[in-house]
Amino acid sequence: MNQTTITSTGVNPHPVNMLRKREPKWRSLLRQLLKSPTGTIGFLIILGVLFLGLCGPWVAPYDPNQAELGKKLLPPLSDGHWLGTDQLGRDIFSRLIHGSSVSLIIGSCTVLFAGLIGTTLGLIAGYFRGWADTIIMRIVDVKLSFPFVLLVLVINAVMGAGLQNIIISLVFAGWIIYARVVRSEVLALREKEFILSCIATGVPRWEIILRHIVPNLFTPIIVLSSLQIATYIIAEASISFLGFGVQPPQPAWGNMLSEGKDYIFSAWWLITFPGIAIVITALGVNLFGDWLRDVLDPELKGN
């Protein structure tokens, strides 16, 4: 039997129902995240990498560039070095911790700038169409004819190695995926009734774009960015391994692999632990990105 309360104005629902508040969005997402084992694992891995990247100078037990030739090529768990030392006697664990900050900087900066450029161009191409769409999409087609890593290599070979240049090269090669996704989303949004109504009533273009189209692009952009971070981290490691990325003595997982390749049989730990760090980080980002896509993509939720 439904419980009700009688007031002077009539019959009201149960007071508990009236006091029920809508659950905040962040709390709902957190609850859904905790229900997903893979999403939770990915989120925890990302938090761990963020912690190491931000707190590296206080967490690392040694100076990552401090060389002690008397302790070179020590195996793991030797003389206070948990993961051993490299060919110059530098602590591998400390270099891994400091290398995580490089991956975070490259991944976040590349996603930010590539996302801004690609979203802007995709928005212009999808909404205005015409010659702007033709020019932007032909540029995208030309760039897609080059393999991603090869294009980044060529740009870095021209501009020179270094952290700043590898970010620029990754942004230059990575904005096209955002442009293609955003253009397709805008083309679909233009045919929606609420957009057609705005156009018919004479709403200015800039207002339609900023108030009605851009807010509807947040979900696909966030999902795409979460998945692209892993791609950029792996690309940076590949470029640094080939000698065109972050340069020694600055620790980065890619150049640690490059320096250790000559000792693959005599000192396996030089390449094993940086490789594991790259795999775990990319796996964590991909797991969290897959969960985020399932939660935020209305088509996958069946709406």
Side-chain angles (χ1 to χ4, degrees):
M1 180 181 296
N2 293 331
Q3 298 181 357
T4 59
T5 57
I6 307 298
T7 66
S8 59
T9 58
V11 180
N12 288 332
H14 193 275
V16 175
N17 294 332
M18 297 184 63
L19 295 176
R20 184 178 298 167
K21 295 182 179 180
R22 185 177 180 182
E23 186 178 29
K25 184 67 174 178
W26 67 268
R27 186 175 297 175
S28 175
L29 288 175
L30 180 60
R31 179 167 49 81
Q32 294 181 65
L33 175 62
L34 294 177
K35 291 181 179 179
S36 171
T38 56
T40 303
I41 292 173
F43 182 68
L44 292 177
I45 291 174
I46 293 174
L47 281 183
V49 175
L50 283 173
F51 173 76
L52 292 178
L54 296 176
C55 303
W58 298 278
V59 175
Y62 298 93
D63 183 342
N65 295 322
Q66 180 181 355
E68 296 185 49
L69 295 179
K71 295 183 178 181
K72 66 179 182 179
L73 298 180
L74 289 179
L77 302 178
S78 298
D79 197 18
H81 297 278
W82 296 353
L83 302 182
T85 59
D86 63 7
Q87 69 280 7
L88 297 178
R90 298 172 298 189
D91 183 65
I92 292 179
F93 181 60
S94 299
R95 291 180 65 78
L96 281 179
I97 292 177
H98 283 265
S100 63
S101 62
V102 174
S103 297
L104 288 176
I105 292 173
I106 291 175
S108 58
C109 289
T110 304
V111 163
L112 175 62
F113 293 114
L116 287 174
I117 296 172
T119 299
T120 302
L121 294 178
L123 189 59
I124 294 172
Y127 187 83
F128 294 100
R129 303 298 301 275
W131 61 268
D133 183 30
T134 301
I135 293 176
I136 293 173
M137 287 300 103
R138 295 299 75 77
I139 294 175
V140 169
D141 292 339
V142 171
K143 294 186 69 175
L144 285 175
S145 64
F146 294 91
F148 178 78
V149 175
L150 178 60
L151 182 59
V152 175
L153 271 175
V154 171
I155 297 172
N156 270 88
V158 174
M159 298 180 58
L163 181 60
Q164 180 179 347
N165 289 342
I166 196 172
I167 292 176
I168 294 174
S169 63
L170 288 172
V171 170
F172 183 82
W175 66 265
I176 55 177
I177 184 65
Y178 288 92
R180 286 170 61 90
V181 170
V182 169
R183 175 181 178 271
S184 64
E185 292 289 334
V186 173
L187 289 176
L189 287 171
R190 283 193 62 187
E191 305 302 322
K192 300 293 184 181
E193 292 183 358
F194 69 96
I195 298 295
L196 296 177
S197 299
C198 291
I199 296 175
T201 55
V203 178
R205 287 183 172 180
W206 66 268
E207 186 174 348
I208 295 175
I209 293 174
L210 295 180
R211 295 188 59 183
H212 301 288
I213 293 183
V214 171
N216 285 284
L217 297 176
F218 286 157
T219 295
I221 291 175
I222 291 173
V223 173
L224 178 61
S225 297
S226 66
L227 296 174
Q228 285 296 105
I229 289 178
T231 301
Y232 297 138
I233 290 176
I234 294 175
E236 178 275 324
S238 302
I239 302 305
S240 296
F241 177 80
L242 296 174
F244 292 94
V246 180
Q247 297 297 297
Q250 183 177 6
W253 294 341
N255 61 32
M256 289 178 68
L257 286 173
S258 179
E259 292 175 351
K261 68 181 185 297
D262 296 331
Y263 302 88
I264 186 172
F265 295 110
S266 59
W268 54 268
W269 54 91
L270 296 187
I271 63 171
T272 299
F273 295 119
I276 292 175
I278 295 171
V279 171
I280 291 178
T281 303
L283 177 63
V285 174
N286 281 327
L287 290 177
F288 182 73
D290 287 339
W291 170 83
L292 199 62
R293 180 192 59 192
D294 294 341
V295 170
L296 297 180
D297 194 328
E299 294 182 358
L300 293 176
K301 291 188 292 184
N303 294 342

